[in-house]
């Protein structure tokens, strides 16, 4: 996952050509802004080429893997071993953050292999979690996970790594965020889709107290289908309160539905809309560069840069972006959720801007990322029992009784067989 900066000089040349047409600018004005834009891109390209020459620290395949697709023994985690709290991540370089993400992912896989739990969703947010705790200052900055089942990496980085073996056990760590468990768990969800509402309440309370901390709500594309989420976004847009909403889009609007022909992929209007938003990459990149230039230019050029940013936004925004922005949220994305360079850069920029109102960052991730068996599975290893990391084989113990849901389903079917009015 080497960092890539894809705005090219060809893109900027295209930008130069539309600056005059789209924004009614004079030739001289467009040339000035085009030169500034080009310098910004060239600088980003030079940094990218320089970083590409650095040695990459990765947990790579070795003899311990044998014929399996993953390690049979847990790889060493020298950098993760030094991280007991988020403050220990502040001075890490981008290369070290990438190494930390690799070590965190392998540590998570081997931990959950012994306990069972929510694996796929947690693997998908490893880079996002690392970036969040590198940029923001938890617990002063409030980070809310919706619904919290993907917060295993968050728990490891916030002082609970030594207790992860107790997760979901009596007197052990909760499988979700829990306020009484850690000061870094800003909200303990009882159900999904309430992180934006809770975050908005915290942001309003912050403003009433006159403090300056950030509030970040991370919500999945599945949880985003609930009405409560849209009610909260509508309210946040109306109040124009500074807060950050991160839409974690892993293309799992719902878990694959079992059918007679096998699992069916997630379907629905939101799934289709988010898929359409994952296009028009060159113009998305242009917009990100234009936004950066907008912040750097002051005086008479500020309105010029703002016009260009607005024009770029209009060109790239699909129906989903239009919806979010009509609700009053400034839309940024889609962003590669496994590119730490991009995540850190964008989060730093958003964190440094205190007068934007609510911002929605659309982050695209892959559920089960980094574990081959999870990546290939239909459910992305959403929830697992104990398993063998090397083979991915889950060790399902035989139970003397059936699950509660099985008894419930059988009872419901029995009732439906004698009463035609029962349909669900």
């Amino acid at each position: 996952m080497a960092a890539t900066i894809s705005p090219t000089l060809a893109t900027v040349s295209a930008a130069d050509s539309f600056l005059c047409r789209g924004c009614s600018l004079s030739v001289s004005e467009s040339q000035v802004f085009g030169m500034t834009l080009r310098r910004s891109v060239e600088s980003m390209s030079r940094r990218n080429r320089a970083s590409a020459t650095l040695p990459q620290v990765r947990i790579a395949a070795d003899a311990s893997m044998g014929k399996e697709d993953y390690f049979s023994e847990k790889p060493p985690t020298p950098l993760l071993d030094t991280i007991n709290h988020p403050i220990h991540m502040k001075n890490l370089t981008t290369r070290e953050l990438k190494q930390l993400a690799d070590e965190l992912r392998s540590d998570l896989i081997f931990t959950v292999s012994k306990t069972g739990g929510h694996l796929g969703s947690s693997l998908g947010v490893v880079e996002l979690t690392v970036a969040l705790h590198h940029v923001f200052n938890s617990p002063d900055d409030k980070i809310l996970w919706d619904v919290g089942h993907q917060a295993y990496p968050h728990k490891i980085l916030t002082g609970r790594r030594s207790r992860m073996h107790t997760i979901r056990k009596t007197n052990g760590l909760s499988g979700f965020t829990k306020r009484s468990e850690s000061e870094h768990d800003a909200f303990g969800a009882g159900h999904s889709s309430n992180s934006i509402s809770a975050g908005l309440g915290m942001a309003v309370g912050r403003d009433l107290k006159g403090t300056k901390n950030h509030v970040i709500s991370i919500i999945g594309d599945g949880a985003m289908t609930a009405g409560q989420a849209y009610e909260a976004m509508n309210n946040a847009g109306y109040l124009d309160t500074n807060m950050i909403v991160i839409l974690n889009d892993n293309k799992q609007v719902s878990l694959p539905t079992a059918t007679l022909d096998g699992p069916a992929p997630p379907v629905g209007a939101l799934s289709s809309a988010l898929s359409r938003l994952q296009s028009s990459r060159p113009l998305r990149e242009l917009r990100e560069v234009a936004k950066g230039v907008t912040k750097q230019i002051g005086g008479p050029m500020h309105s010029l840069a703002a016009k260009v940013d607005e024009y770029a936004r209009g060109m790239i925004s699909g129906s989903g972006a239009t919806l979010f922005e009509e609700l009053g949220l400034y839309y940024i994305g889609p962003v590669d959720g496994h590119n730490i360079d991009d995540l850190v850069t964008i989060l730093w920029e958003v964190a440094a801007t205190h007068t934007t109102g609510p911002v929605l960052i659309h982050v695209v991730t892959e559920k089960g990322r980094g574990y081959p068996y999870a990546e290939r599975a239909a459910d992305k290893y959403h929830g697992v029992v104990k398993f063998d990391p090397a083979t991915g084989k889950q060790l399902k113990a035989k139970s003397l009784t059936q699950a509660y849901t099985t008894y419930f389903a059988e009872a419901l079917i029995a009732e439906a067989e004698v009463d035609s009015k029962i349909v669900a």
Side-chain angles (χ1 to χ4, degrees), residues 237-268:
Y238 173 75
L239 295 174
D240 200 32
T241 302
N242 289 347
M243 67 176 295
I244 301 168
V245 177
I246 297 179
L247 171 57
N248 175 33
D249 176 10
N250 57 21
K251 305 181 184 67
Q252 294 277 300
V253 173
S254 61
L255 289 177
T257 303
T259 69
L260 294 177
D261 298 322
V267 295

Side-chain angles (χ1 to χ4, degrees), residues 191-194 219 221-233 270:
H191 58 81
S192 74
S193 312
N194 53 18
I219 182 169
D221 49 345
M224 187 64 92
T225 61
Q228 184 177 1
Y230 290 90
E231 180 184 21
M233 286 190 290
L270 181 60

